[in-house]
Amino acid sequence: MTSKLSSIAIAALVAASSSFVSFSDAQAAGCGRASWYALHSRTASGERMNPNLMTAAHRSLRFGTKVKVTNANNGKSVVVRINDRGPFIRGRVLDLSKAAASNIGMIRSGHAKICYEVIG
Protein backbone atom coordinates (compact mmCIF):
# COMPACT_ATOMS: atom_id res chain seq x y z
CA MET A 1 0.00 0.00 0.00
CA THR A 2 2.82 2.40 0.85
CA SER A 3 4.55 1.84 -2.49
CA LYS A 4 1.26 2.50 -4.31
CA LEU A 5 0.83 5.81 -2.44
CA SER A 6 4.45 6.72 -3.18
CA SER A 7 3.90 6.04 -6.89
CA ILE A 8 0.77 8.20 -6.90
CA ALA A 9 2.57 10.99 -5.02
CA ILE A 10 5.50 10.89 -7.45
CA ALA A 11 3.16 10.96 -10.46
CA ALA A 12 1.28 13.93 -9.00
CA LEU A 13 4.55 15.75 -8.33
CA VAL A 14 5.78 15.17 -11.89
CA ALA A 15 2.47 16.37 -13.33
CA ALA A 16 2.48 19.48 -11.15
CA SER A 17 6.11 20.33 -11.89
CA SER A 18 5.49 20.34 -15.64
CA SER A 19 3.05 23.23 -15.24
CA PHE A 20 5.50 25.56 -13.46
CA VAL A 21 6.99 28.40 -15.51
CA SER A 22 10.45 29.60 -14.65
CA PHE A 23 11.18 33.31 -14.25
CA SER A 24 13.18 33.49 -17.46
CA ASP A 25 10.41 31.71 -19.40
CA ALA A 26 7.93 34.31 -18.18
CA GLN A 27 10.23 36.98 -19.63
CA ALA A 28 10.54 35.19 -23.01
CA ALA A 29 8.35 37.74 -24.77
CA GLY A 30 6.89 41.12 -24.06
CA CYS A 31 6.33 44.68 -25.13
CA GLY A 32 7.49 47.95 -23.67
CA ARG A 33 9.86 50.80 -24.38
CA ALA A 34 13.45 50.43 -25.52
CA SER A 35 16.30 52.90 -25.69
CA TRP A 36 19.78 52.66 -27.22
CA TYR A 37 23.32 53.27 -26.08
CA ALA A 38 26.77 53.45 -27.65
CA LEU A 39 29.36 53.22 -24.90
CA HIS A 40 32.72 51.47 -25.17
CA SER A 41 32.84 50.23 -21.59
CA ARG A 42 32.66 46.63 -20.38
CA THR A 43 29.26 44.99 -20.30
CA ALA A 44 27.93 42.90 -17.42
CA SER A 45 28.93 39.78 -19.37
CA GLY A 46 32.56 40.96 -19.36
CA GLU A 47 32.90 41.79 -23.05
CA ARG A 48 33.58 45.28 -24.34
CA MET A 49 30.48 47.09 -25.61
CA ASN A 50 30.65 47.51 -29.38
CA PRO A 51 27.95 49.87 -30.68
CA ASN A 52 28.35 48.37 -34.17
CA LEU A 53 27.19 44.88 -33.12
CA MET A 54 23.60 43.68 -32.80
CA THR A 55 23.46 43.44 -29.01
CA ALA A 56 21.15 44.48 -26.19
CA ALA A 57 20.78 44.71 -22.44
CA HIS A 58 17.96 43.00 -20.54
CA ARG A 59 17.43 42.71 -16.79
CA SER A 60 17.16 38.92 -16.52
CA LEU A 61 17.57 37.02 -19.80
CA ARG A 62 20.70 34.87 -19.96
CA PHE A 63 23.75 36.28 -21.70
CA GLY A 64 23.91 34.96 -25.25
CA THR A 65 20.13 34.73 -25.66
CA LYS A 66 18.97 35.73 -29.15
CA VAL A 67 15.97 38.06 -29.15
CA LYS A 68 13.90 39.35 -32.07
CA VAL A 69 12.99 43.00 -31.46
CA THR A 70 10.26 44.71 -33.48
CA ASN A 71 9.64 48.45 -33.53
CA ALA A 72 5.87 48.79 -32.96
CA ASN A 73 5.79 52.13 -34.83
CA ASN A 74 7.16 50.90 -38.17
CA GLY A 75 7.22 47.08 -38.03
CA LYS A 76 11.00 46.84 -38.60
CA SER A 77 12.74 43.97 -36.78
CA VAL A 78 16.26 43.02 -35.76
CA VAL A 79 17.77 40.01 -33.97
CA VAL A 80 20.06 40.92 -31.08
CA ARG A 81 22.18 38.99 -28.60
CA ILE A 82 21.83 39.77 -24.89
CA ASN A 83 25.25 40.72 -23.49
CA ASP A 84 24.50 43.29 -20.79
CA ARG A 85 22.15 44.11 -17.90
CA GLY A 86 19.67 46.96 -17.93
CA PRO A 87 17.90 49.16 -18.70
CA PHE A 88 17.72 50.81 -15.32
CA ILE A 89 15.01 53.31 -16.22
CA ARG A 90 11.47 52.41 -15.16
CA GLY A 91 9.21 51.43 -18.03
CA ARG A 92 12.02 50.32 -20.36
CA VAL A 93 12.52 46.64 -21.15
CA LEU A 94 15.59 46.70 -23.44
CA ASP A 95 18.63 48.83 -24.17
CA LEU A 96 19.77 48.28 -27.76
CA SER A 97 23.17 48.91 -29.29
CA LYS A 98 23.33 51.84 -31.69
CA ALA A 99 23.51 49.48 -34.71
CA ALA A 100 20.41 47.54 -33.62
CA ALA A 101 18.52 50.77 -32.93
CA SER A 102 19.50 52.08 -36.35
CA ASN A 103 18.18 48.92 -38.04
CA ILE A 104 14.72 49.42 -36.57
CA GLY A 105 14.62 53.18 -37.05
CA MET A 106 14.82 54.53 -33.51
CA ILE A 107 18.06 56.53 -33.50
CA ARG A 108 16.49 59.95 -33.90
CA SER A 109 13.83 59.51 -31.21
CA GLY A 110 16.20 57.78 -28.78
CA HIS A 111 13.51 55.36 -27.64
CA ALA A 112 10.55 53.51 -29.10
CA LYS A 113 7.74 51.13 -28.25
CA ILE A 114 8.94 47.63 -29.10
CA CYS A 115 7.87 44.02 -28.77
CA TYR A 116 10.41 41.26 -28.31
CA GLU A 117 10.51 37.47 -28.32
CA VAL A 118 13.25 35.01 -27.46
CA ILE A 119 14.25 32.97 -30.49
CA GLY A 120 17.30 31.15 -29.15
Side-chain angles (χ1 to χ4, degrees):
M1 180 75 173
T2 305
S3 65
K4 185 175 182 181
L5 286 176
S6 295
S7 297
I8 292 171
I10 289 172
L13 184 61
V14 168
S17 67
S18 67
S19 65
F20 288 117
V21 175
S22 72
F23 179 71
S24 60
D25 289 342
Q27 298 284 322
C31 293
R33 298 206 63 81
S35 52
W36 65 270
Y37 66 123
L39 304 174
H40 290 280
S41 58
R42 293 243 179 244
T43 65
S45 66
E47 64 186 88
R48 183 152 310 274
M49 168 57 172
N50 182 341
N52 301 313
L53 297 179
M54 300 300 165
T55 58
H58 186 273
R59 288 185 194 96
S60 61
L61 290 175
R62 289 184 183 168
F63 295 137
T65 301
K66 300 282 186 173
V67 178
K68 180 180 177 184
V69 181
T70 304
N71 184 332
N73 297 324
N74 61 21
K76 292 182 179 180
S77 296
V78 67
V79 175
V80 297
R81 179 178 54 86
I82 302 299
N83 74 336
D84 203 1
R85 292 290 170 234
F88 300 108
I89 296 176
R90 191 175 64 176
R92 296 198 184 156
V93 294
L94 286 172
D95 270 339
L96 302 175
S97 65
K98 185 175 183 179
S102 178
N103 273 310
I104 63 170
M106 60 174 271
I107 292 290
R108 180 175 283 172
S109 65
H111 54 87
K113 180 163 176 36
I114 57 97
C115 290
Y116 69 95
E117 63 179 310
V118 171
I119 59 171

